[in-house]
Amino acid sequence: MSVAVDYYGTLGVRRDANADEIKKAYRRLARELHPDVNPDPVTQERFKEITQAYEVLSDPEKRQMYDLGGDPFAAGGGAAGFGAGFSPFSDIMDAFFGGGASRGPRSRARRGRNATIRVELDLSECAFGATRDLTVDTAVVCPTCSGEGSAPGSHPTTCEVCHGRGELNQVTRSFLGQVMTSRPCPGCGGFGTIIRMPCPECDGDGRVRTRRTVKVRIPAGVEDGTHIQLAGEGEVGPGGGPPGDLFLEIVQQPHPIFERQGDDLHCTLTIPMTAASLGATLQIQTLDGPATIDIRPGTQSGQTIPLFAQGSSHLHGPGRGDLIIHVTVETPVKLDPEQEELVRQLARLRGEESPPGRFSPGEQGFFSRLRDAFNGR
Ligand SMILES: [Zn+2]
Ligand SMILES: [Zn+2]
């Protein structure tokens, strides 16, 4: 962009014109030269010139730079001329003409809606992934008219009201002088064309409702509330527009044994006092099948036994969570006389047979262990 342009001359103002004079000069010229009033290319070029001049002279910083012989479009990133990024242009248009430059007819084709369906999975399917054939009620492109909306052998015709422009311009007088406004054409609804013979299958919508089956692969590691986006698997839009997306919302069914927290699984294992005391080898169920675990002698209620990498797969990245077994020691109830005698004998041998009040809080950690066990720790 050459700096040799005479912006003052373009707007027809003196070099010492104040902001108000510059604005008035620009408004007067803009009304004359606006493309909607005067669409010929020479006038449009001139309109661009006065708008550019106004952009510089209405901005004190740019005006000063221009006065000093600099390039006002070099600074501030506004050097793109009249491309898409030239916002003062459209700002001024909007301010003067209430709605900017001509937008042309709008397309009948619009993007289809997104759809969401819920998929119920059990814990194992969430942890390891699953494949499902899902039945979705959706809209597809009308096979009769291929989305155009016209009956076979016919096509949309150009609207005679707006001659295909989709909008009508109106010149009214206001305090600014003549003002150009545009509104959607009532003859064609703004589309610029009219479907005189709508397709009998879709009534001119360009799409038909149908039920189809989608085979989806659900990745390992999803959980309750996970959304999976299947791009382009939603409904097609009106007028043969592109399809929206299909979202799967995962619903994880509760498991009778395992409770999931993140990718870790938790379960409770109740063992008899004797096994806790003497130690034992037990078989338990995991998501991967039966597993053998060792209960160490002296295991306390509330202790946990972790089985590493036996939880759910991570959704993002490799590896798995853990399976955490929470041990509860069951104190025997309803001892028969022989069992009771054995327990009393054990208590005597361990010096634990005692009058009431022997175990005071804190002593041997008995009460704190009891509390931990109660709280499930
Ligand atoms: Zn059709
Ligand atoms: Zn029209």
Side-chain angles (χ1 to χ4, degrees):
M1 203 149 303
S2 168
V3 195
V5 182
D6 179 8
Y7 289 139
Y8 292 99
T10 303
L11 287 183
V13 294
R14 296 190 317 274
R15 288 191 75 84
D16 60 354
N18 64 29
D20 201 35
E21 288 164 359
I22 288 168
K23 189 190 275 184
K24 275 185 183 151
Y26 173 66
R27 285 185 173 189
R28 184 177 45 78
L29 290 167
R31 285 197 296 273
E32 269 174 43
L33 302 170
H34 187 270
D36 275 353
V37 182
N38 240 323
D40 76 272
V42 178
T43 311
Q44 284 187 40
E45 201 46 49
R46 175 106 174 86
F47 183 75
K48 286 179 186 177
E49 286 170 17
I50 63 152
T51 304
Q52 191 187 11
Y54 180 68
E55 200 215 344
V56 173
L57 298 185
S58 62
D59 181 328
E61 254 182 62
K62 285 183 180 155
R63 184 179 179 181
Q64 193 186 19
M65 199 183 298
Y66 172 71
D67 287 343
L68 294 171
D71 181 1
F73 288 101
F82 290 89
F86 187 39
S87 72
F89 183 77
S90 54
D91 288 353
I92 292 164
M93 301 269 59
D94 284 353
F96 273 66
F97 303 101
S102 174
R103 285 173 299 272
R106 60 194 179 98
S107 168
R108 282 178 206 278
R110 273 173 291 142
R111 185 177 182 273
R113 282 183 308 183
N114 295 338
T116 302
I117 50 176
R118 290 156 65 90
V119 182
E120 292 204 354
L121 299 177
D122 65 30
L123 179 61
S124 177
E125 291 172 312
C126 285
F128 300 132
T131 304
R132 279 279 200 280
D133 287 324
L134 300 172
T135 305
V136 288
D137 288 311
T138 187
V140 296
V141 173
C142 172
T144 303
C145 64
S146 305
E148 194 180 54
S150 299
S154 76
H155 293 286
T157 53
T158 303
C159 172
E160 285 162 11
V161 180
C162 64
H163 305 289
R165 292 186 59 221
E167 56 187 10
L168 298 178
N169 291 335
Q170 207 170 6
V171 180
T172 52
R173 295 198 65 81
S174 78
F175 68 97
L176 283 172
Q178 286 195 335
V179 170
M180 176 79 65
T181 54
S182 63
R183 60 194 168 99
C185 170
C188 60
F191 296 122
T193 55
I194 292 172
I195 295 176
R196 301 214 181 273
M197 293 172 64
C199 166
E201 185 162 356
C202 65
D203 262 344
D205 191 35
R207 56 185 181 162
V208 287
R209 299 218 63 91
T210 188
R211 175 169 287 196
R212 70 190 179 100
T213 303
V214 189
K215 196 178 194 71
V216 295
R217 170 93 186 86
I218 296 157
V222 296
E223 63 185 320
D224 206 48
T226 302
H227 281 81
I228 297 170
Q229 183 178 15
L230 302 173
E233 295 284 358
E235 305 187 347
V236 301
D245 298 334
L246 178 63
F247 288 89
L248 309 183
E249 184 186 331
I250 302 299
V251 178
Q252 181 185 291
Q253 291 161 336
H255 192 273
I257 299 171
F258 301 117
E259 190 194 324
R260 181 170 175 177
Q261 290 177 14
D263 289 337
D264 291 338
L265 303 179
H266 295 259
C267 68
T268 303
L269 176 67
T270 303
I271 57 172
M273 182 191 74
T274 47
S277 184
L278 302 171
T281 300
L282 298 176
Q283 210 177 57
I284 61 154
Q285 276 299 322
T286 71
L287 283 187
D288 301 75
T292 304
I293 57 165
D294 282 325
I295 306 289
R296 287 202 305 270
T299 291
Q300 304 293 323
S301 217
Q303 280 190 354
T304 54
I305 302 169
L307 298 185
F308 297 111
Q310 296 281 291
S312 169
S313 304
H314 297 311
L315 180 57
H316 306 289
R320 294 172 64 180
D322 303 326
L323 170 58
I324 314 287
I325 301 163
H326 298 256
V327 177
T328 298
V329 177
E330 199 174 40
T331 305
V333 289
K334 290 183 185 167
L335 297 172
D336 65 26
E338 193 185 353
Q339 291 168 345
E340 187 181 331
E341 182 46 39
L342 278 170
V343 176
R344 284 194 188 285
Q345 203 178 334
L346 177 65
R348 271 196 301 277
L349 286 170
R350 291 179 58 84
E352 291 168 353
E353 199 189 41
S354 59
R358 157 79 196 276
F359 297 106
S360 59
E363 189 181 349
Q364 296 177 1
F366 177 81
F367 280 96
S368 64
R369 279 210 304 281
L370 192 68
R371 197 177 55 239
D372 286 352
F374 183 74
N375 291 332
R377 263 178 279 165

